Amino acid sequence: MLGTVCLVSILLLILPIASPFPADWKSSGAAQAPIGDQPPRRASEGLSLKELQDILKSTPAEDRLRASSEYYTSGAHLAGKNQSQAEWTRDQWRASGVEANLVDYDVYINYPQSHRLALLKTSDDQDTTVEYEAKLKENVLEEDPTSGLKEQIPTFHGYSANGNVTAQYLFVNYGTYQDFEDLRAANVSLEGKIAIAKYGGVFRGLIMKRAEELGMIGAILYTDPGDDGPKEKDGVAPYPEGYAREPSSVQRGSAQYLSVAPGDPTTPGYPSKPGVPRKSTEGVIPRIPSLPISYEDAVPLLKALNGHGPKASSFNKYWQQGGLDYKGVEYNIGPSPAGVEVNLVNDQSYVTTPIWNVIGIINGTRSDEVVVLGNHRDAWIAGGASDPNSGSAALNELVRGLGIALEKGWKPHRSIVLASWDGEEYGLLGSTEWVEEYIPWLSDAAVAYLNVDVAVMGKRFMASAAPLLNKVLIESAHEVQSPNQTVPEQTVGDLWDTPIRTMGSGSDFTAFQDYAGIPCVDMGFSNGPEDPVYMYHSIYDSFAWMQKFGDPDYRYHAAIASVWGVLAAKLVESLIIPFSAVDYGSAMEGYINSVKTKADEGKLDKDDFNFSILDDAIKTFQGAASRIDQEALEAVKKLEGHPLASTGRNHLFKIDEINKKLKYLERQFLYDKGLDNRSWFRHITFAPGLWTGYAGATFPGLVESVDARDAQNFGKWRSIVADKINLASGSLD
């Protein structure tokens, strides 16, 4: 098969089209050769791992990071309207010595036309007056030049429904599933009303989903300063004078039902190429109109509810976070009294339009093992200094470091794919469509996907990861010096004070982890409780904010580029893929224990909800995981002190055998029929929570069965999960 592999390498070098690999990769057999027929494994050429890591740590330059940030944030770059930025990114990568091309998809999205939100009062003689007309726009600040750009984008929700509705309204807290259940238990009438909800509890689209199911006709979402760290209420001046929230800031965002399926809602499970059949969007995006507003616009609406209906303080602790009491808001639920209504108008133009991914390729000595790195480029605003373009700037510097290594004669051991995604904000469009197009090749070749979305919004390192990658991620964080040198020589890992989180959704790793079964990392510097308030998806996520509060010297940008580079280098260059199967086994034990706890708390019948076969399957997996990790360790030790060229062919094939088992391990947990009522999600271990969207759920089929108290469905998923875990165990032996 040596000729086939060489042919593929040549194709990768000369492909003029946007896609990096042939669409029929799997059927061509190029990535399906048995391990025994693969050519002898070679090390990368030209540089040692340490030399490569030193380059990737020393390359990120603060002035270049600042320049990239300034470029990306200087104009609007909505999905489907940023081709010039895609071309600029491609050209930057090419200038660094990395071959890159544009990959386009035709996706179904919306753009704002007009909107209105007004508080109306109708008198007994039927005269209607406007009590408050919401401005629905953010203040232009002299200190923040991008806030005054003519091309600034109006406040709106992606995939929001068109509509003009007038009705009484009520406060629904965060609009979580449980919040709505609390309201129903309190006999609060919801049908025919408009909801006003705080951001923060769940993915915004799921607020609209549940409101629609309960007969509500519209939704208004705002960010309450009670959820911020520094607050104007506590004497901190608002941005730009201080670092509390600017009162007119508005969080835009997608209203797609992200936990049902990401990607183009008209092409679930297949790429949105020109001419493909399109499906109905029913059940995947809202049918009721919605608007995002500022807390400045929310105050008059909330104050009009004072004295009407129960107070939030009479509900449980999750209703107690309101921070507008100093503005006269009492947080009554409502509904608003008869004659007091809101008029909500949302006018959107829906189109099918191209979006542009930038895909870069660095061919390794192994074309059947590939590491993918990605960040999205599109933003809701003219701005996006944190989300996403801190990550975009970091990726450009990482690519430049790889280019420097290539100039020094380096050729990687594993191949590398680099991605600047478009359309992430609407629903992970660019990455999802790309994964759906290249799923045969990815299933054969992908080792891992490393995502950085928001690289810097504060100074606190945080990460989510598949358990296979926990160990190498921790090692990488401890090899990069922290910008905080209050203790000399301390590393990012030394200051990392939060656990590695479970993979959920909300960024471009979703299709890789939950659909393709490729282990992922998502990481960045987040904001802690004392850091300046980060005004997510508002025009104040700007170059000026980053310069003043976020990362003025761009050292945290450089640090995340370095961690990203070190992690990528380890995954690309290590002869044996540096996964920890043992960590996966330990994690699964914790996941199943959390399901048991949920079942116990629900006082479910222990015979109907019996976990014994799952416990046995996990124990078997842990044994197999321990053996494969030990095999990997022994294989590495055998190489120590010996040139690879002198290593016996049989040992090289043994390394290939171990790598094949590790590479395909995550894929063993895919269930082709998918989760109940959301078949796009195929991973039995990880998925976004059905009613959270962002937060990860573990063993979702089991959890949802327990939540529904459905013993029959629990039995079904118990068998599926046990079978998949046993399949994974068998794949390791």
Side-chain angles (χ1 to χ4, degrees):
M1 300 298 290
L2 180 59
T4 302
V5 174
C6 290
L7 174 61
V8 170
S9 297
I10 293 168
L11 284 172
L12 295 182
L13 286 168
I14 65 174
L15 273 177
I17 58 174
S19 58
F21 304 101
D24 62 345
W25 177 283
K26 188 171 186 179
S27 61
S28 73
Q32 300 183 85
I35 285 294
D37 291 336
Q38 291 288 351
R41 181 171 290 270
R42 293 188 296 159
S44 61
E45 300 168 0
L47 294 173
S48 68
L49 174 59
K50 183 182 184 306
E51 289 170 332
L52 175 62
Q53 289 178 328
D54 287 345
I55 289 171
L56 296 176
K57 286 192 288 185
S58 62
T59 297
E62 286 84 355
D63 59 339
R64 288 178 174 270
L65 288 157
R66 182 186 184 280
S68 279
S69 176
E70 187 170 20
Y71 169 76
Y72 283 118
T73 60
S74 63
H77 43 296
L78 262 179
K81 292 182 179 289
N82 61 60
Q83 185 174 4
S84 63
Q85 287 200 358
E87 292 169 345
W88 183 87
T89 302
R90 175 201 62 198
D91 294 345
Q92 292 293 305
W93 294 5
R94 287 179 174 177
S96 294
V98 173
E99 181 54 38
N101 291 288
L102 301 190
V103 179
D104 62 288
Y105 297 96
D106 283 3
V107 298
Y108 179 74
I109 54 178
N110 62 302
Y111 296 118
Q113 300 298 302
S114 64
H115 54 198
R116 185 200 190 204
L117 183 67
L119 178 63
L120 309 178
K121 185 174 183 179
T122 303
S123 64
D124 292 340
D125 58 6
Q126 301 305 301
D127 286 336
T128 299
T129 58
V130 177
E131 297 292 293
Y132 179 74
E133 187 80 43
K135 23 180 233 189
L136 302 181
K137 62 190 299 185
E138 293 159 300
N139 295 328
V140 174
L141 305 175
E142 183 179 347
E143 300 90 338
D144 193 332
T146 56
S147 67
L149 290 177
K150 290 182 180 179
E151 59 185 296
Q152 268 299 357
I153 299 159
T155 55
F156 79 111
H157 282 143
Y159 291 125
S160 57
N162 286 312
N164 183 337
V165 294
T166 301
Q168 292 172 276
Y169 65 100
L170 50 86
F171 175 66
V172 300
N173 199 28
Y174 295 103
T176 67
Y177 189 94
Q178 187 57 52
D179 288 338
F180 281 115
E181 290 302 287
D182 292 342
L183 292 171
R184 296 173 75 192
N187 295 316
V188 175
S189 175
L190 302 173
E191 189 170 359
K193 308 294 195 303
I194 294 172
I196 180 167
K198 298 186 293 184
Y199 279 117
V202 294
F203 187 76
R204 66 190 71 76
L206 300 179
I207 301 172
M208 276 72 94
K209 184 177 191 294
R210 188 58 178 154
E212 181 180 338
E213 290 175 353
L214 295 174
M216 304 190 81
I217 63 171
I220 305 160
L221 277 61
Y222 79 100
T223 302
D224 194 297
D227 293 316
D228 291 337
K231 303 175 181 64
E232 183 184 32
K233 174 184 175 180
D234 296 333
V236 181
Y239 179 75
E241 290 78 15
Y243 48 87
R245 180 174 300 279
E246 208 286 336
S248 71
S249 66
V250 178
Q251 182 193 136
R252 299 151 181 82
S254 175
Q256 186 184 44
Y257 300 164
L258 192 64
S259 60
V260 175
D264 185 330
T266 67
T267 62
Y270 56 96
S272 295
K273 288 296 188 180
V276 299
R278 302 275 170 174
K279 295 186 178 180
S280 168
T281 60
E282 185 172 358
V284 290
I285 61 175
R287 291 291 182 267
I288 62 173
S290 65
L291 288 175
I293 67 172
S294 65
Y295 82 71
E296 183 178 67
D297 274 341
V299 165
L301 277 62
L302 295 170
K303 287 176 70 175
L305 294 177
N306 287 353
H308 300 285
K311 284 190 173 183
S313 58
S314 68
F315 287 77
N316 59 52
K317 64 180 181 180
Y318 301 107
W319 289 73
Q320 312 302 313
Q321 294 299 112
L324 291 171
D325 51 321
Y326 78 113
K327 297 284 189 182
V329 174
E330 298 176 4
Y331 290 99
N332 284 85
I333 304 302
S336 57
V340 177
E341 300 176 316
V342 291
N343 173 229
L344 187 164
V345 179
N346 187 47
D347 183 14
Q348 302 290 318
S349 172
Y350 273 86
V351 298
T352 299
T353 188
I355 60 171
W356 303 275
N357 296 333
V358 183
I359 302 296
I361 307 158
I362 302 176
N363 295 304
T365 62
R366 298 287 298 211
S367 60
D368 62 331
E369 293 176 0
V370 179
V371 177
V372 186
L373 291 74
N375 155 267
H376 77 92
R377 186 184 62 254
D378 62 300
W380 291 113
I381 49 169
S386 285
D387 183 9
N389 300 129
S390 58
S392 307
L395 183 56
N396 288 347
E397 284 299 274
L398 195 160
V399 172
R400 193 168 68 86
L402 294 171
I404 290 171
L406 291 170
E407 286 181 355
K408 293 179 179 294
W410 170 68
K411 182 175 183 177
H413 178 51
R414 297 184 176 91
S415 297
I416 301 170
V417 171
L418 302 149
S420 172
W421 309 115
D422 194 5
E424 188 271 357
E425 295 291 7
Y426 277 85
L428 323 180
L429 304 183
S431 57
T432 300
E433 301 312 309
W434 189 80
V435 170
E436 288 175 345
E437 180 169 14
Y438 292 104
I439 188 68
W441 166 72
L442 287 167
S443 296
D444 284 332
V447 171
Y449 173 68
L450 310 180
N451 190 67
V452 173
D453 185 332
V454 182
V456 182
M457 69 165 82
K459 298 175 173 60
R460 189 180 194 187
F461 185 74
M462 300 184 75
S464 303
L468 286 172
L469 289 162
N470 285 355
K471 183 178 179 181
V472 68
L473 171 60
I474 292 168
E475 289 175 355
S476 300
H478 278 90
E479 292 182 24
V480 174
Q481 195 169 91
S482 170
N484 178 349
Q485 287 298 299
T486 51
V487 175
E489 305 301 316
Q490 67 184 353
T491 67
V492 171
D494 293 334
L495 294 173
W496 186 2
D497 61 355
T498 59
I500 298 174
R501 295 172 295 180
T502 302
M503 304 301 293
S505 188
S507 194
D508 290 303
F509 58 81
T510 303
F512 290 89
Q513 183 76 47
D514 298 336
Y515 184 77
I518 297 164
C520 297
V521 166
D522 182 50
M523 60 186 172
F525 287 98
S526 188
N527 56 336
E530 303 304 318
D531 285 333
V533 171
Y534 167 58
M535 289 167 281
Y536 178 56
H537 288 179
S538 85
I539 63 173
Y540 309 123
D541 178 7
S542 62
F543 184 69
W545 180 86
M546 185 63 71
Q547 288 278 103
K548 185 171 184 178
F549 292 117
D551 188 19
D553 53 17
Y554 288 81
R555 289 186 300 143
Y556 284 88
H557 284 69
I560 195 65
S562 297
V563 174
W564 203 358
V566 168
L567 176 59
K570 289 178 181 292
L571 287 165
V572 168
E573 295 294 84
S574 300
L575 280 179
I576 293 182
I577 298 170
F579 285 173
S580 174
V582 166
D583 281 353
Y584 212 141
S586 298
M588 281 200 292
E589 185 175 351
Y591 302 156
I592 205 65
N593 286 340
S594 70
V595 184
K596 291 178 184 177
T597 299
K598 182 180 280 285
D600 289 342
E601 290 172 348
K603 296 180 170 52
L604 301 180
D605 186 278
K606 291 187 180 296
D607 290 329
D608 290 339
F609 293 84
N610 186 289
F611 291 81
S612 60
I613 66 168
L614 296 168
D615 292 334
D616 291 344
I618 291 172
K619 185 176 181 180
T620 300
F621 179 85
Q622 289 173 332
S626 179
R627 289 190 292 275
I628 192 68
D629 281 4
Q630 185 62 34
E631 282 184 50
L633 180 62
E634 290 172 359
V636 170
K637 285 182 177 179
K638 191 170 181 179
L639 291 172
E640 289 177 356
H642 300 283
L644 189 63
S646 68
T647 303
R649 186 177 180 88
N650 288 341
H651 188 59
L652 293 177
F653 284 147
K654 178 65 175 177
I655 292 172
D656 278 336
E657 181 183 0
I658 293 170
N659 279 333
K660 182 179 181 182
K661 292 176 179 181
L662 293 171
K663 181 176 70 171
Y664 293 140
L665 177 56
E666 196 80 60
R667 254 83 97 200
Q668 306 302 322
F669 298 103
L670 295 179
Y671 177 58
D672 286 343
K673 293 182 180 179
L675 299 180
D676 295 335
N677 302 313
R678 45 178 183 152
S679 59
W680 187 91
F681 289 98
R682 305 194 300 161
H683 206 299
I684 60 105
T685 312
F686 305 113
L690 181 60
W691 285 104
T692 60
Y694 285 126
T698 52
F699 292 133
L702 297 173
V703 168
E704 289 161 27
S705 300
V706 168
D707 285 341
R709 308 178 74 85
D710 188 334
Q712 183 175 354
N713 206 55
F714 179 85
K716 180 189 86 170
W717 278 103
R718 178 176 56 201
S719 296
I720 293 168
V721 171
D723 288 348
K724 287 296 179 181
I725 296 173
N726 287 329
L727 180 68
S729 300
S731 76
L732 295 178
D733 285 330

